[in-house]
mmCIF file of all heavy atoms in Angstrom:
data_model
loop_
_atom_site.group_PDB
_atom_site.id
_atom_site.type_symbol
_atom_site.label_atom_id
_atom_site.label_comp_id
_atom_site.label_asym_id
_atom_site.label_seq_id
_atom_site.Cartn_x
_atom_site.Cartn_y
_atom_site.Cartn_z
ATOM 1 N N ALA A 9 -16.326 12.256 38.029
ATOM 2 C CA ALA A 9 -17.267 11.351 37.365
ATOM 3 C C ALA A 9 -18.121 10.613 38.389
ATOM 4 O O ALA A 9 -17.633 10.216 39.452
ATOM 5 C CB ALA A 9 -16.508 10.337 36.507
ATOM 6 N N VAL A 10 -19.390 10.457 38.055
ATOM 7 C CA VAL A 10 -20.308 9.614 38.824
ATOM 8 C C VAL A 10 -20.613 8.406 37.944
ATOM 9 O O VAL A 10 -21.108 8.568 36.825
ATOM 10 C CB VAL A 10 -21.607 10.367 39.169
ATOM 11 C CG1 VAL A 10 -22.532 9.477 39.985
ATOM 12 C CG2 VAL A 10 -21.303 11.660 39.904
ATOM 13 N N TYR A 11 -20.312 7.217 38.435
ATOM 14 C CA TYR A 11 -20.454 6.052 37.560
ATOM 15 C C TYR A 11 -20.675 4.767 38.340
ATOM 16 O O TYR A 11 -20.512 4.715 39.556
ATOM 17 C CB TYR A 11 -19.222 5.910 36.669
ATOM 18 C CG TYR A 11 -17.907 5.711 37.379
ATOM 19 C CD1 TYR A 11 -17.403 4.431 37.623
ATOM 20 C CD2 TYR A 11 -17.126 6.799 37.781
ATOM 21 C CE1 TYR A 11 -16.181 4.248 38.255
ATOM 22 C CE2 TYR A 11 -15.909 6.623 38.408
ATOM 23 C CZ TYR A 11 -15.444 5.345 38.638
ATOM 24 O OH TYR A 11 -14.226 5.161 39.267
ATOM 25 N N ARG A 12 -21.078 3.732 37.588
ATOM 26 C CA ARG A 12 -21.151 2.383 38.131
ATOM 27 C C ARG A 12 -19.799 1.730 37.905
ATOM 28 O O ARG A 12 -19.315 1.642 36.783
ATOM 29 C CB ARG A 12 -22.236 1.564 37.439
ATOM 30 C CG ARG A 12 -23.649 2.065 37.686
ATOM 31 C CD ARG A 12 -24.668 1.135 37.025
ATOM 32 N NE ARG A 12 -26.013 1.690 37.114
ATOM 33 C CZ ARG A 12 -26.869 1.736 36.106
ATOM 34 N NH1 ARG A 12 -26.514 1.268 34.930
ATOM 35 N NH2 ARG A 12 -28.079 2.232 36.261
ATOM 36 N N ALA A 13 -19.205 1.258 38.986
ATOM 37 C CA ALA A 13 -17.856 0.706 38.906
ATOM 38 C C ALA A 13 -17.880 -0.809 38.778
ATOM 39 O O ALA A 13 -18.822 -1.484 39.216
ATOM 40 C CB ALA A 13 -17.054 1.093 40.150
ATOM 41 N N ARG A 14 -16.838 -1.352 38.163
ATOM 42 C CA ARG A 14 -16.644 -2.800 38.112
ATOM 43 C C ARG A 14 -16.096 -3.243 39.474
ATOM 44 O O ARG A 14 -14.944 -2.964 39.809
ATOM 45 C CB ARG A 14 -15.672 -3.174 36.992
ATOM 46 C CG ARG A 14 -15.349 -4.673 36.927
ATOM 47 C CD ARG A 14 -14.333 -4.981 35.848
ATOM 48 N NE ARG A 14 -14.878 -4.752 34.523
ATOM 49 C CZ ARG A 14 -14.563 -3.719 33.753
ATOM 50 N NH1 ARG A 14 -13.688 -2.802 34.181
ATOM 51 N NH2 ARG A 14 -15.110 -3.575 32.551
ATOM 52 N N VAL A 15 -16.901 -3.940 40.233
ATOM 53 C CA VAL A 15 -16.508 -4.425 41.554
ATOM 54 C C VAL A 15 -16.185 -5.912 41.415
ATOM 55 O O VAL A 15 -17.044 -6.710 41.034
ATOM 56 C CB VAL A 15 -17.631 -4.220 42.585
ATOM 57 C CG1 VAL A 15 -17.205 -4.733 43.950
ATOM 58 C CG2 VAL A 15 -18.015 -2.748 42.658
ATOM 59 N N THR A 16 -14.958 -6.294 41.722
ATOM 60 C CA THR A 16 -14.530 -7.685 41.552
ATOM 61 C C THR A 16 -14.416 -8.451 42.863
ATOM 62 O O THR A 16 -14.305 -9.679 42.848
ATOM 63 C CB THR A 16 -13.169 -7.730 40.835
ATOM 64 O OG1 THR A 16 -12.192 -7.010 41.606
ATOM 65 C CG2 THR A 16 -13.263 -7.099 39.443
ATOM 66 N N ASP A 17 -14.432 -7.753 43.985
ATOM 67 C CA ASP A 17 -14.297 -8.400 45.285
ATOM 68 C C ASP A 17 -15.666 -8.882 45.768
ATOM 69 O O ASP A 17 -16.536 -8.065 46.094
ATOM 70 C CB ASP A 17 -13.711 -7.410 46.294
ATOM 71 C CG ASP A 17 -13.495 -8.028 47.672
ATOM 72 O OD1 ASP A 17 -13.797 -9.230 47.846
ATOM 73 O OD2 ASP A 17 -13.028 -7.306 48.574
ATOM 74 N N PRO A 18 -15.907 -10.200 45.832
ATOM 75 C CA PRO A 18 -17.232 -10.710 46.230
ATOM 76 C C PRO A 18 -17.657 -10.291 47.633
ATOM 77 O O PRO A 18 -18.852 -10.262 47.919
ATOM 78 C CB PRO A 18 -17.060 -12.235 46.144
ATOM 79 C CG PRO A 18 -15.932 -12.453 45.189
ATOM 80 C CD PRO A 18 -15.004 -11.297 45.429
ATOM 81 N N THR A 19 -16.701 -9.950 48.501
ATOM 82 C CA THR A 19 -17.079 -9.536 49.857
ATOM 83 C C THR A 19 -17.779 -8.184 49.854
ATOM 84 O O THR A 19 -18.407 -7.810 50.857
ATOM 85 C CB THR A 19 -15.848 -9.478 50.779
ATOM 86 O OG1 THR A 19 -14.925 -8.490 50.285
ATOM 87 C CG2 THR A 19 -15.153 -10.824 50.850
ATOM 88 N N GLN A 20 -17.697 -7.432 48.755
ATOM 89 C CA GLN A 20 -18.383 -6.148 48.653
ATOM 90 C C GLN A 20 -19.785 -6.273 48.061
ATOM 91 O O GLN A 20 -20.568 -5.323 48.093
ATOM 92 C CB GLN A 20 -17.550 -5.177 47.807
ATOM 93 C CG GLN A 20 -16.209 -4.828 48.411
ATOM 94 C CD GLN A 20 -15.462 -3.798 47.578
ATOM 95 O OE1 GLN A 20 -16.061 -2.923 46.970
ATOM 96 N NE2 GLN A 20 -14.140 -3.895 47.542
ATOM 97 N N PHE A 21 -20.114 -7.451 47.489
ATOM 98 C CA PHE A 21 -21.438 -7.637 46.909
ATOM 99 C C PHE A 21 -22.497 -7.647 48.007
ATOM 100 O O PHE A 21 -22.256 -8.203 49.091
ATOM 101 C CB PHE A 21 -21.525 -8.964 46.146
ATOM 102 C CG PHE A 21 -20.562 -9.103 45.003
ATOM 103 C CD1 PHE A 21 -20.279 -10.356 44.468
ATOM 104 C CD2 PHE A 21 -19.928 -8.002 44.445
ATOM 105 C CE1 PHE A 21 -19.404 -10.507 43.416
ATOM 106 C CE2 PHE A 21 -19.042 -8.139 43.390
ATOM 107 C CZ PHE A 21 -18.777 -9.403 42.875
ATOM 108 N N ASP A 22 -23.665 -7.071 47.735
ATOM 109 C CA ASP A 22 -24.755 -7.235 48.690
ATOM 110 C C ASP A 22 -25.477 -8.546 48.395
ATOM 111 O O ASP A 22 -25.258 -9.181 47.356
ATOM 112 C CB ASP A 22 -25.694 -6.026 48.704
ATOM 113 C CG ASP A 22 -26.392 -5.783 47.385
ATOM 114 O OD1 ASP A 22 -26.639 -6.744 46.641
ATOM 115 O OD2 ASP A 22 -26.718 -4.618 47.085
ATOM 116 N N THR A 23 -26.347 -8.965 49.313
ATOM 117 C CA THR A 23 -26.964 -10.286 49.195
ATOM 118 C C THR A 23 -27.854 -10.402 47.959
ATOM 119 O O THR A 23 -27.913 -11.464 47.335
ATOM 120 C CB THR A 23 -27.790 -10.591 50.454
ATOM 121 O OG1 THR A 23 -28.720 -9.523 50.683
ATOM 122 C CG2 THR A 23 -26.890 -10.742 51.669
ATOM 123 N N GLY A 24 -28.540 -9.327 47.616
ATOM 124 C CA GLY A 24 -29.395 -9.364 46.432
ATOM 125 C C GLY A 24 -28.602 -9.553 45.159
ATOM 126 O O GLY A 24 -29.006 -10.317 44.264
ATOM 127 N N PHE A 25 -27.459 -8.872 45.065
ATOM 128 C CA PHE A 25 -26.624 -9.024 43.873
ATOM 129 C C PHE A 25 -26.052 -10.433 43.801
ATOM 130 O O PHE A 25 -26.031 -11.053 42.727
ATOM 131 C CB PHE A 25 -25.487 -8.004 43.884
ATOM 132 C CG PHE A 25 -24.565 -8.119 42.693
ATOM 133 C CD1 PHE A 25 -24.894 -7.533 41.485
ATOM 134 C CD2 PHE A 25 -23.383 -8.846 42.774
ATOM 135 C CE1 PHE A 25 -24.061 -7.654 40.376
ATOM 136 C CE2 PHE A 25 -22.551 -8.972 41.678
ATOM 137 C CZ PHE A 25 -22.892 -8.363 40.477
ATOM 138 N N THR A 26 -25.580 -10.965 44.929
ATOM 139 C CA THR A 26 -25.022 -12.319 44.938
ATOM 140 C C THR A 26 -26.054 -13.340 44.493
ATOM 141 O O THR A 26 -25.756 -14.229 43.681
ATOM 142 C CB THR A 26 -24.511 -12.679 46.347
ATOM 143 O OG1 THR A 26 -23.488 -11.753 46.719
ATOM 144 C CG2 THR A 26 -23.932 -14.084 46.370
ATOM 145 N N ALA A 27 -27.277 -13.218 44.993
ATOM 146 C CA ALA A 27 -28.335 -14.151 44.608
ATOM 147 C C ALA A 27 -28.638 -14.050 43.114
ATOM 148 O O ALA A 27 -28.821 -15.079 42.430
ATOM 149 C CB ALA A 27 -29.597 -13.875 45.414
ATOM 150 N N SER A 28 -28.664 -12.834 42.585
ATOM 151 C CA SER A 28 -28.921 -12.644 41.150
ATOM 152 C C SER A 28 -27.785 -13.209 40.304
ATOM 153 O O SER A 28 -28.019 -13.801 39.253
ATOM 154 C CB SER A 28 -29.108 -11.154 40.844
ATOM 155 O OG SER A 28 -30.228 -10.634 41.520
ATOM 156 N N LEU A 29 -26.539 -13.021 40.765
ATOM 157 C CA LEU A 29 -25.382 -13.535 40.037
ATOM 158 C C LEU A 29 -25.379 -15.062 40.035
ATOM 159 O O LEU A 29 -25.094 -15.698 39.011
ATOM 160 C CB LEU A 29 -24.095 -12.997 40.660
ATOM 161 C CG LEU A 29 -22.775 -13.434 40.021
ATOM 162 C CD1 LEU A 29 -22.751 -13.108 38.534
ATOM 163 C CD2 LEU A 29 -21.587 -12.780 40.724
ATOM 164 N N VAL A 30 -25.708 -15.672 41.169
ATOM 165 C CA VAL A 30 -25.774 -17.139 41.250
ATOM 166 C C VAL A 30 -26.816 -17.670 40.271
ATOM 167 O O VAL A 30 -26.561 -18.628 39.523
ATOM 168 C CB VAL A 30 -26.087 -17.588 42.687
ATOM 169 C CG1 VAL A 30 -26.466 -19.074 42.720
ATOM 170 C CG2 VAL A 30 -24.891 -17.344 43.594
ATOM 171 N N SER A 31 -27.980 -17.060 40.242
ATOM 172 C CA SER A 31 -29.055 -17.515 39.354
ATOM 173 C C SER A 31 -28.676 -17.340 37.886
ATOM 174 O O SER A 31 -28.932 -18.227 37.063
ATOM 175 C CB SER A 31 -30.347 -16.748 39.654
ATOM 176 O OG SER A 31 -30.816 -17.037 40.949
ATOM 177 N N ALA A 32 -28.058 -16.204 37.562
ATOM 178 C CA ALA A 32 -27.656 -15.964 36.170
ATOM 179 C C ALA A 32 -26.592 -16.959 35.730
ATOM 180 O O ALA A 32 -26.640 -17.489 34.607
ATOM 181 C CB ALA A 32 -27.141 -14.533 36.027
ATOM 182 N N LEU A 33 -25.625 -17.238 36.608
ATOM 183 C CA LEU A 33 -24.592 -18.225 36.277
ATOM 184 C C LEU A 33 -25.191 -19.619 36.156
ATOM 185 O O LEU A 33 -24.795 -20.394 35.268
ATOM 186 C CB LEU A 33 -23.503 -18.217 37.346
ATOM 187 C CG LEU A 33 -22.477 -17.086 37.281
ATOM 188 C CD1 LEU A 33 -21.597 -17.101 38.525
ATOM 189 C CD2 LEU A 33 -21.608 -17.203 36.032
ATOM 190 N N ALA A 34 -26.130 -19.958 37.031
ATOM 191 C CA ALA A 34 -26.736 -21.286 36.993
ATOM 192 C C ALA A 34 -27.427 -21.533 35.658
ATOM 193 O O ALA A 34 -27.322 -22.627 35.082
ATOM 194 C CB ALA A 34 -27.733 -21.439 38.139
ATOM 195 N N ARG A 35 -28.126 -20.525 35.143
ATOM 196 C CA ARG A 35 -28.789 -20.676 33.839
ATOM 197 C C ARG A 35 -27.769 -20.899 32.730
ATOM 198 O O ARG A 35 -27.968 -21.728 31.831
ATOM 199 C CB ARG A 35 -29.643 -19.442 33.540
ATOM 200 C CG ARG A 35 -30.866 -19.307 34.430
ATOM 201 C CD ARG A 35 -31.806 -18.232 33.915
ATOM 202 N NE ARG A 35 -31.206 -16.908 33.969
ATOM 203 C CZ ARG A 35 -31.288 -16.090 35.018
ATOM 204 N NH1 ARG A 35 -31.917 -16.489 36.115
ATOM 205 N NH2 ARG A 35 -30.737 -14.890 34.989
ATOM 206 N N LYS A 36 -26.658 -20.166 32.783
ATOM 207 C CA LYS A 36 -25.626 -20.339 31.760
ATOM 208 C C LYS A 36 -24.915 -21.677 31.914
ATOM 209 O O LYS A 36 -24.561 -22.322 30.920
ATOM 210 C CB LYS A 36 -24.622 -19.183 31.831
ATOM 211 C CG LYS A 36 -25.217 -17.844 31.420
ATOM 212 C CD LYS A 36 -24.168 -16.758 31.352
ATOM 213 C CE LYS A 36 -24.759 -15.446 30.874
ATOM 214 N NZ LYS A 36 -23.730 -14.377 30.725
ATOM 215 N N PHE A 37 -24.676 -22.098 33.163
ATOM 216 C CA PHE A 37 -24.052 -23.409 33.387
ATOM 217 C C PHE A 37 -24.941 -24.521 32.860
ATOM 218 O O PHE A 37 -24.457 -25.491 32.246
ATOM 219 C CB PHE A 37 -23.791 -23.627 34.881
ATOM 220 C CG PHE A 37 -22.640 -22.831 35.440
ATOM 221 C CD1 PHE A 37 -22.478 -22.690 36.802
ATOM 222 C CD2 PHE A 37 -21.724 -22.222 34.598
ATOM 223 C CE1 PHE A 37 -21.419 -21.955 37.321
ATOM 224 C CE2 PHE A 37 -20.660 -21.486 35.103
ATOM 225 C CZ PHE A 37 -20.514 -21.347 36.476
ATOM 226 N N ALA A 38 -26.242 -24.423 33.102
ATOM 227 C CA ALA A 38 -27.163 -25.457 32.636
ATOM 228 C C ALA A 38 -27.104 -25.582 31.119
ATOM 229 O O ALA A 38 -27.112 -26.700 30.575
ATOM 230 C CB ALA A 38 -28.587 -25.136 33.092
ATOM 231 N N ALA A 39 -27.023 -24.437 30.427
ATOM 232 C CA ALA A 39 -26.924 -24.472 28.965
ATOM 233 C C ALA A 39 -25.562 -24.990 28.511
ATOM 234 O O ALA A 39 -25.461 -25.796 27.585
ATOM 235 C CB ALA A 39 -27.171 -23.079 28.399
ATOM 236 N N ALA A 40 -24.497 -24.547 29.193
ATOM 237 C CA ALA A 40 -23.141 -24.945 28.793
ATOM 238 C C ALA A 40 -22.881 -26.422 29.034
ATOM 239 O O ALA A 40 -22.218 -27.097 28.231
ATOM 240 C CB ALA A 40 -22.116 -24.109 29.549
ATOM 241 N N PHE A 41 -23.404 -26.950 30.147
ATOM 242 C CA PHE A 41 -23.167 -28.345 30.487
ATOM 243 C C PHE A 41 -24.202 -29.283 29.877
ATOM 244 O O PHE A 41 -24.060 -30.495 29.978
ATOM 245 C CB PHE A 41 -23.170 -28.541 32.008
ATOM 246 C CG PHE A 41 -21.964 -27.980 32.691
ATOM 247 C CD1 PHE A 41 -22.078 -26.935 33.597
ATOM 248 C CD2 PHE A 41 -20.705 -28.494 32.425
ATOM 249 C CE1 PHE A 41 -20.967 -26.406 34.228
ATOM 250 C CE2 PHE A 41 -19.583 -27.972 33.051
ATOM 251 C CZ PHE A 41 -19.714 -26.928 33.954
ATOM 252 N N GLY A 42 -25.238 -28.751 29.241
ATOM 253 C CA GLY A 42 -26.287 -29.604 28.692
ATOM 254 C C GLY A 42 -25.769 -30.608 27.689
ATOM 255 O O GLY A 42 -26.089 -31.797 27.734
ATOM 256 N N GLU A 43 -24.916 -30.155 26.769
ATOM 257 C CA GLU A 43 -24.362 -31.051 25.752
ATOM 258 C C GLU A 43 -23.467 -32.093 26.394
ATOM 259 O O GLU A 43 -23.458 -33.250 25.994
ATOM 260 C CB GLU A 43 -23.584 -30.228 24.719
ATOM 261 C CG GLU A 43 -23.036 -31.069 23.566
ATOM 262 C CD GLU A 43 -22.346 -30.211 22.515
ATOM 263 O OE1 GLU A 43 -22.524 -28.985 22.548
ATOM 264 O OE2 GLU A 43 -21.636 -30.789 21.678
ATOM 265 N N THR A 44 -22.702 -31.675 27.415
ATOM 266 C CA THR A 44 -21.820 -32.610 28.101
ATOM 267 C C THR A 44 -22.614 -33.690 28.815
ATOM 268 O O THR A 44 -22.275 -34.874 28.774
ATOM 269 C CB THR A 44 -20.944 -31.856 29.122
ATOM 270 O OG1 THR A 44 -20.185 -30.869 28.433
ATOM 271 C CG2 THR A 44 -20.008 -32.799 29.839
ATOM 272 N N VAL A 45 -23.712 -33.285 29.466
ATOM 273 C CA VAL A 45 -24.546 -34.247 30.179
ATOM 274 C C VAL A 45 -25.134 -35.255 29.216
ATOM 275 O O VAL A 45 -25.157 -36.462 29.472
ATOM 276 C CB VAL A 45 -25.662 -33.505 30.945
ATOM 277 C CG1 VAL A 45 -26.673 -34.487 31.505
ATOM 278 C CG2 VAL A 45 -25.073 -32.663 32.062
ATOM 279 N N THR A 46 -25.609 -34.757 28.059
ATOM 280 C CA THR A 46 -26.173 -35.654 27.053
ATOM 281 C C THR A 46 -25.134 -36.648 26.567
ATOM 282 O O THR A 46 -25.411 -37.845 26.418
ATOM 283 C CB THR A 46 -26.718 -34.850 25.860
ATOM 284 O OG1 THR A 46 -27.723 -33.948 26.336
ATOM 285 C CG2 THR A 46 -27.328 -35.759 24.821
ATOM 286 N N SER A 47 -23.916 -36.191 26.314
ATOM 287 C CA SER A 47 -22.840 -37.077 25.860
ATOM 288 C C SER A 47 -22.512 -38.127 26.905
ATOM 289 O O SER A 47 -22.299 -39.306 26.588
ATOM 290 C CB SER A 47 -21.593 -36.257 25.523
ATOM 291 O OG SER A 47 -21.865 -35.331 24.501
ATOM 292 N N GLU A 48 -22.485 -37.703 28.178
ATOM 293 C CA GLU A 48 -22.192 -38.650 29.251
ATOM 294 C C GLU A 48 -23.290 -39.707 29.365
ATOM 295 O O GLU A 48 -23.011 -40.884 29.568
ATOM 296 C CB GLU A 48 -22.046 -37.893 30.579
ATOM 297 C CG GLU A 48 -20.797 -37.021 30.645
ATOM 298 C CD GLU A 48 -20.747 -36.186 31.912
ATOM 299 O OE1 GLU A 48 -21.774 -36.169 32.640
ATOM 300 O OE2 GLU A 48 -19.705 -35.558 32.170
ATOM 301 N N GLN A 49 -24.553 -39.283 29.219
ATOM 302 C CA GLN A 49 -25.654 -40.226 29.278
ATOM 303 C C GLN A 49 -25.590 -41.213 28.119
ATOM 304 O O GLN A 49 -25.816 -42.417 28.291
ATOM 305 C CB GLN A 49 -26.982 -39.474 29.261
ATOM 306 C CG GLN A 49 -27.271 -38.685 30.532
ATOM 307 C CD GLN A 49 -28.521 -37.854 30.421
ATOM 308 O OE1 GLN A 49 -29.006 -37.591 29.319
ATOM 309 N NE2 GLN A 49 -29.043 -37.418 31.563
ATOM 310 N N GLN A 50 -25.282 -40.709 26.928
ATOM 311 C CA GLN A 50 -25.168 -41.583 25.762
ATOM 312 C C GLN A 50 -24.047 -42.594 25.939
ATOM 313 O O GLN A 50 -24.190 -43.777 25.591
ATOM 314 C CB GLN A 50 -24.937 -40.746 24.497
ATOM 315 C CG GLN A 50 -26.146 -39.927 24.071
ATOM 316 C CD GLN A 50 -25.853 -39.036 22.891
ATOM 317 O OE1 GLN A 50 -24.677 -38.799 22.534
ATOM 318 N NE2 GLN A 50 -26.889 -38.515 22.267
ATOM 319 N N ALA A 51 -22.906 -42.133 26.510
ATOM 320 C CA ALA A 51 -21.792 -43.058 26.737
ATOM 321 C C ALA A 51 -22.170 -44.123 27.757
ATOM 322 O O ALA A 51 -21.831 -45.306 27.594
ATOM 323 C CB ALA A 51 -20.571 -42.274 27.214
#
């Protein structure tokens, strides 16, 4: 089989993939923490 494998070891990631993963996570974190930030500000 020729396939794209699930790579879990971050030391195998290339720099472009790491940068893309950081940006994708940051967008999701901003959305996930948005409600929490609002609640903290209200408190």
Side-chain angles (χ1 to χ4, degrees):
V10 181
Y11 61 93
R12 294 183 187 134
R14 176 183 292 106
V15 180
T16 59
D17 182 0
T19 62
Q20 296 184 34
F21 300 162
D22 62 30
T23 54
F25 179 82
T26 300
S28 298
L29 180 55
V30 167
S31 295
L33 282 171
R35 291 191 295 270
K36 292 186 177 183
F37 286 165
F41 288 116
E43 183 176 346
T44 301
V45 171
T46 301
S47 300
E48 291 175 351
Q49 290 174 342
Q50 290 176 345

